[in-house]
Amino acid sequence: MNYKILVIPIAIIFLAACSKHDKAYYAANIDKAESKSRECNSAMEAAFVANDKEKITSLSEDVECKAAVEVFKKHKTELAKVERELKRKEKEQARLAAEKAFQEKYEQQLSSLKNLSYVDFVESTKDCVGSFSFKKSPICKAYQELKKDFDTKEIAVLKAKYSGEKLEDFRQDQCQGVNYSKVYCALALQAAREQKQEKIEGYLADRASLKKAFNQCQSQYDVLRKANKWGEANASIQTYQCSLVAQAASKLKVYSFNKPIQ
């Protein structure tokens, strides 16, 4: 009889101990961990509001509450990490898709613009001129890629079409008045500079030709000067041709038309 009386309390204690859930249990039953965690947190809030120090201490030391809160907190952290990784992957996929679409559009624009005349190229890309953006549109990226080549080819066309004073006249026509063109003004200016430099280099490579051209300008200048026609004399050496040979001669340290080159 005494043996049975002792067994009952021990069994009750054993069952009570087993009723406490540990971390392993809550790790396998996250929904239970969430429910218990919320229950413990609510109880703790109520204890704080009531200033029930005994209850606060009891809840703080409650093994099951600690297990549930810790497991659920860890679960939320891991879940947040997974969600961040999913968002990162989605963002990366979106970025790659956007880059692919941009590249395809850029290549289409590149192919299309290459076949245009210079005038049509300028007209088609006019919105790209003077615009500044760290993220350019496909057509403006293609414009930047092709512009230098288009300009170089058109400058070559101008130099072939107009020579010497004719190119200067064209430049002046495009840079002022009713025919003003910002695009062709800049191109003609560059073409004129290149053509002058080429002619100067040609003279320097052919000293006999330079001597002949220089002395023709010097002779005319000398005749007018001796006739006291100073204005005409100065005007004669300001012409395109005489100005050009003067620039070439200056490279040889001949700085005036006072005397001919011997």
Side-chain angles (χ1 to χ4, degrees):
M1 186 70 180
N2 291 337
Y3 173 75
K4 291 181 180 178
I5 293 172
L6 287 172
V7 168
I8 293 172
I10 291 172
I12 292 172
I13 292 170
F14 179 75
L15 290 171
C18 289
S19 69
K20 292 288 186 180
H21 297 309
D22 57 9
K23 289 182 182 180
Y25 170 81
Y26 284 124
N29 298 274
I30 294 299
D31 57 332
K32 301 294 185 182
E34 180 180 6
S35 177
K36 184 63 177 179
S37 178
R38 294 186 186 282
E39 177 187 322
C40 293
N41 287 332
S42 296
M44 182 65 80
E45 289 176 7
F48 271 111
V49 171
N51 197 25
D52 188 339
K53 295 180 181 179
E54 185 177 342
K55 185 67 172 178
I56 292 172
T57 301
S58 175
L59 289 169
S60 298
E61 296 174 353
D62 188 285
V63 174
E64 191 170 1
C65 276
K66 285 182 178 181
V69 169
E70 184 177 338
V71 168
F72 185 59
K73 182 178 180 181
K74 183 179 179 181
H75 171 73
K76 287 199 299 182
T77 300
E78 291 175 348
L79 188 62
K81 183 178 179 181
V82 170
E83 289 177 350
R84 285 196 301 270
E85 181 62 15
L86 285 173
K87 287 182 180 179
R88 186 194 67 77
K89 288 182 178 179
E90 288 174 359
K91 188 175 181 180
E92 180 65 9
Q93 289 174 349
R95 183 186 69 80
L96 292 173
E99 283 186 357
K100 182 180 178 182
F102 181 95
Q103 185 66 20
E104 289 175 351
K105 187 67 176 177
Y106 159 71
E107 290 174 359
Q108 290 173 4
Q109 294 290 354
L110 202 62
S111 178
S112 176
L113 291 173
K114 279 181 179 179
N115 299 319
L116 298 179
S117 67
Y118 186 80
V119 173
D120 289 339
F121 171 75
V122 170
E123 179 62 26
S124 298
T125 58
K126 62 184 178 181
D127 292 337
C128 300
V129 179
S131 65
F132 176 80
S133 173
F134 289 108
K135 187 177 181 181
K136 296 188 179 298
S137 64
I139 190 171
C140 288
K141 182 181 178 182
Y143 161 78
Q144 285 191 328
E145 179 76 18
L146 297 172
K147 184 178 185 301
K148 185 176 180 180
D149 188 52
F150 263 92
D151 285 352
T152 299
K153 289 179 179 178
E154 192 66 9
I155 286 171
V157 168
L158 293 179
K159 288 192 295 183
K161 186 176 182 180
Y162 304 102
S163 180
E165 291 183 83
K166 289 183 179 180
L167 183 53
E168 286 293 332
D169 291 341
F170 176 77
R171 180 189 65 78
Q172 291 181 14
D173 183 60
Q174 296 298 306
C175 292
Q176 60 187 5
V178 294
N179 292 325
Y180 170 76
S181 167
K182 183 178 179 180
V183 173
Y184 270 98
C185 177
L187 284 180
L189 181 62
Q190 183 61 28
R193 286 174 178 168
E194 290 183 11
Q195 192 178 82
K196 278 185 177 181
Q197 187 59 35
E198 289 165 3
K199 288 181 179 293
I200 289 171
E201 290 174 0
Y203 276 130
L204 293 174
D206 185 356
R207 301 293 178 84
S209 178
L210 172 59
K211 178 180 177 180
K212 180 180 178 180
F214 182 90
N215 287 346
Q216 285 177 345
C217 292
Q218 193 280 329
S219 177
Q220 184 179 18
Y221 173 72
D222 193 50
V223 168
L224 292 170
R225 188 176 56 169
K226 287 178 178 178
N228 292 322
K229 296 180 179 180
W230 298 102
E232 292 180 41
N234 288 329
S236 72
I237 59 175
Q238 297 301 318
T239 61
Y240 178 86
Q241 178 62 20
C242 290
S243 176
L244 196 65
V245 295
Q247 290 181 60
S250 70
K251 303 294 183 181
L252 303 177
K253 301 186 183 303
V254 177
Y255 299 111
S256 75
F257 287 102
N258 289 333
K259 58 182 182 180
I261 295 177
Q262 299 299 325

